[in-house]
Amino acid sequence: MAVNARSRRQRVSYDTRIFLLALLVGAPALILLALLLFAGDFSPAFVFTMLAVAVVGWLVLANLLRNEVVYHLRTLSNLLEALRMGDYSMRGRREARNDALGEVVWEVNQLGDAMRDQRLEVREVSALLRKVMSEIDIALFTFDGQHVLRLVNPAGERLLGLPAAELIGEPAVALGLEDLLDAGERRVVKREFGPRAGRWERRVLRFREGGLPHYLLVITDLSKALREEERSAWQRLIRVIGHEINNSLAPIKSMAGTLEDTVGRDPLPPDWREDVGHGLGVIASRADALARLMSAYAMLARLPAPRRRPVDLARLADRVANLEPRVAVRTQGDPFSAELDPDQLEQLLINLVKNAADATGPEGAVTLRWSRAAEEVVIEVEDDGPGIANPDNLFVPFFTTKPGGTGVGLVLCRQIAEAHGGQLTLKNRADQSGCLARLTVPERA
Ligand code: ADP
């Protein structure tokens, strides 16, 4: 029943219904008028004339009401259609907040404004995205669920050596990208793209468009960055080695000149033995410094795998503390032994204590302490120097803030820590100025 009533109502158009309703509203008055006219003492001609005028007026007014309602609805419908077609310039007049129709018009106008702003925003964002995609030196490819290429940026065109028009619509297999598409995190791959061979980082991101899965394949050329990194590492290495060699060779050369001068004098000066002895001492110490520098580089380049054996930490700590002549190093910890490579660990601690002594000067307080927790050995070297000025660069090879520094010590320490499956961190002390170096390594392999 309800369905029938609804379908009947749907068959009669809305404007006809308004018209009929308007007729219905006027019908009682018309009937009343007819009754009064027939009941009164009027001539039939008068009665029919009056009735004809009333019926015509009734129909005209009902039609007016229908037109009024329909006109506004049509206007609203035109406005909404314009919005649907993307024309936001049309606006409804008669917007008013205190009037039912005015309120609807106001809302439609607001909707238009909001849609215009949104479209502007979307346009700006997509213009920016297009610009970024075309300017960026990273190859971007978008594939649909069937692995067919849908979008490619200029870097992608350059990588594959073909224009976008020839690439779009091709399956990933035909483009030689299928193996790179298997979804997953980042991966570094070695491969050739035409004449360009090298190392590439590939990332695949999944996204949905129109409810369907799509893939964004990002391919970045790592070779250039790696080469630049390598070159700058070489430059730093050469700068530091050059500096160190000059630092040692200059005093050796000048001392050799002085000695030559001394032994060439006739008669020999009375204290010539002393001068020669002192000069040879300087030459020997500079040669030692050079040898130490070279052995540090050699060790950094070819650090062997740790050979673990039981190490008595208290004894090792005492030995390291005694090796540092400049400051009195306090040692703190219970005696116990752990399975570590004693030579590498000693080298690591010597470097940390040396850095601490460099930072504090002779009056400084340096503490070397060790402990054991959850099958891990924790060794700390604490000083009361000025602390770390540049924490980001500490482990950068050849980074040093010291005039005679090599910038190798901490890199070597970290290599040793990581070779033992542990880690080394350096941070400024929270309680006062100074640095706290903490080594954490598993007690055994
Ligand atoms: P080097 O001692 O030859 O400079 P390192 O790799 O051992 O090389 O140290 C690198 C840099 O780290 C040092 O030049 C110094 O600036 C900083 N550093 C290391 N240890 C400390 C410390 N205990 N206090 C302050 N700065 C430190």
Side-chain angles (χ1 to χ4, degrees):
M1 284 281 283
V3 175
N4 277 346
R6 201 176 314 137
S7 62
R8 222 179 7 258
R9 224 180 297 141
Q10 272 166 5
R11 268 203 305 276
V12 183
S13 72
Y14 182 71
D15 34 351
T16 312
R17 272 167 49 213
I18 295 290
F19 182 65
L20 292 177
L21 265 175
L23 288 182
L24 200 65
V25 170
L30 199 70
I31 292 168
L32 201 64
L33 178 70
L35 288 176
L36 286 175
L37 283 175
F38 283 120
D41 190 14
F42 301 114
S43 69
F46 177 77
V47 169
F48 283 111
T49 312
M50 283 308 283
L51 273 179
V53 170
V55 167
V56 169
W58 181 48
L59 289 172
V60 168
L61 287 177
N63 201 38
L64 255 180
L65 180 68
R66 188 200 67 163
N67 287 349
E68 172 69 10
V69 173
V70 166
Y71 169 76
H72 289 299
L73 284 178
R74 287 250 156 84
T75 310
L76 282 172
S77 146
N78 288 343
L79 267 179
L80 290 170
E81 187 190 358
L83 290 186
R84 183 166 57 80
M85 305 302 281
D87 178 0
Y88 306 117
S89 60
M90 276 178 74
R91 292 184 70 85
R93 283 182 296 121
R94 293 189 50 164
E95 57 178 5
R97 300 303 307 271
N98 53 359
D99 158 282
L101 179 70
E103 217 164 294
V104 176
V105 174
W106 186 83
E107 287 294 350
V108 172
N109 285 346
Q110 292 300 309
L111 180 70
D113 289 348
M115 285 174 75
R116 190 193 51 223
D117 291 350
Q118 268 178 19
R119 188 169 69 167
L120 208 67
E121 219 170 282
V122 168
R123 275 204 184 150
E124 282 171 0
V125 169
S126 36
L128 180 68
L129 193 67
R130 264 201 303 278
K131 196 147 185 62
V132 170
M133 274 188 71
S134 65
E135 293 299 319
I136 201 168
D137 198 23
I138 293 174
L140 300 173
F141 303 89
T142 309
F143 289 92
D144 64 14
Q146 277 73 47
H147 290 191
V148 172
L149 186 68
R150 292 283 160 227
L151 207 78
V152 56
N153 73 339
E157 294 175 80
R158 284 195 297 277
L159 188 72
L160 298 185
L162 285 171
E166 286 183 37
L167 296 172
I168 289 174
E170 290 294 325
V173 190
L175 300 173
L177 298 176
E178 182 68 24
D179 58 318
L180 298 179
L181 256 189
D182 55 74
E185 39 354 287
R186 290 162 184 251
R187 188 146 52 86
V188 174
V189 289
K190 253 185 169 176
R191 65 179 292 163
E192 288 172 19
F193 288 102
R196 295 172 65 184
R199 289 218 267 169
W200 310 84
E201 185 193 61
R202 86 100 178 84
R203 290 181 71 183
V204 177
L205 307 166
R206 282 162 171 270
F207 66 98
R208 296 187 90 80
E209 200 182 282
L212 297 169
H214 280 67
Y215 305 90
L216 177 68
L217 173 64
V218 184
I219 300 179
T220 322
D221 183 0
L222 291 183
S223 312
K224 203 169 141 217
L226 288 175
R227 270 196 306 275
E228 271 165 19
E229 197 48 46
E230 217 168 272
R231 197 169 39 240
S232 79
W234 273 111
Q235 280 167 352
R236 272 183 303 203
L237 177 67
I238 288 164
R239 206 172 44 237
V240 173
I241 293 187
H243 180 77
E244 287 302 312
I245 291 179
N246 274 340
N247 266 359
S248 296
L249 282 186
I252 289 176
K253 199 168 165 232
S254 107
M255 204 38 89
T258 315
L259 292 181
E260 198 180 15
D261 209 35
T262 309
V263 295
R265 276 199 226 159
D266 196 17
L268 285 167
D271 54 352
W272 71 276
R273 274 178 198 281
E274 226 172 89
D275 284 354
V276 171
H278 169 70
L280 290 176
V282 169
I283 290 174
S285 93
R286 294 319 309 167
D288 272 354
L290 266 184
R292 271 202 308 279
L293 176 85
M294 294 324 293
S295 73
Y297 283 124
M299 206 160 170
L300 186 62
R302 326 182 283 268
L303 183 73
R307 291 217 308 268
R308 291 185 182 249
R309 39 202 160 101
V311 180
D312 181 339
L313 283 170
R315 278 187 36 205
L316 177 71
D318 282 340
R319 198 167 54 247
V320 170
N322 289 331
L323 279 174
E324 178 52 66
R326 292 171 294 168
V327 284
V329 180
R330 256 181 61 195
T331 52
Q332 226 177 53
D334 295 330
F336 71 88
S337 53
E339 296 224 339
L340 304 164
D341 182 322
D343 297 332
Q344 290 190 0
L345 192 65
E346 183 172 315
Q347 180 66 52
L348 185 156
L349 294 180
I350 288 174
N351 285 354
L352 293 185
V353 169
K354 177 186 140 310
N355 277 347
D358 286 346
T360 61
E363 298 303 312
V366 177
T367 309
L368 171 57
R369 69 171 84 87
W370 61 97
S371 58
R372 180 162 46 177
E375 309 215 325
E376 279 193 331
V377 179
V378 181
I379 306 180
E380 290 179 339
V381 177
E382 191 177 63
D383 66 61
D384 62 352
I388 302 156
N390 192 341
D392 294 339
N393 287 338
L394 285 181
F395 296 99
V396 172
F398 318 121
F399 166 79
T400 181
T401 54
K402 301 170 197 169
T406 59
V408 174
L410 287 181
V411 188
L412 182 63
C413 291
R414 179 170 269 185
Q415 273 197 21
I416 294 175
E418 288 176 355
H420 279 81
Q423 52 183 352
L424 174 69
T425 56
L426 263 83
K427 58 180 183 188
N428 284 325
R429 285 172 67 173
D431 54 339
Q432 62 163 91
S433 82
C435 168
L436 175 69
R438 175 177 291 142
L439 166 77
T440 321
V441 274
E443 229 181 297
R444 50 186 61 83

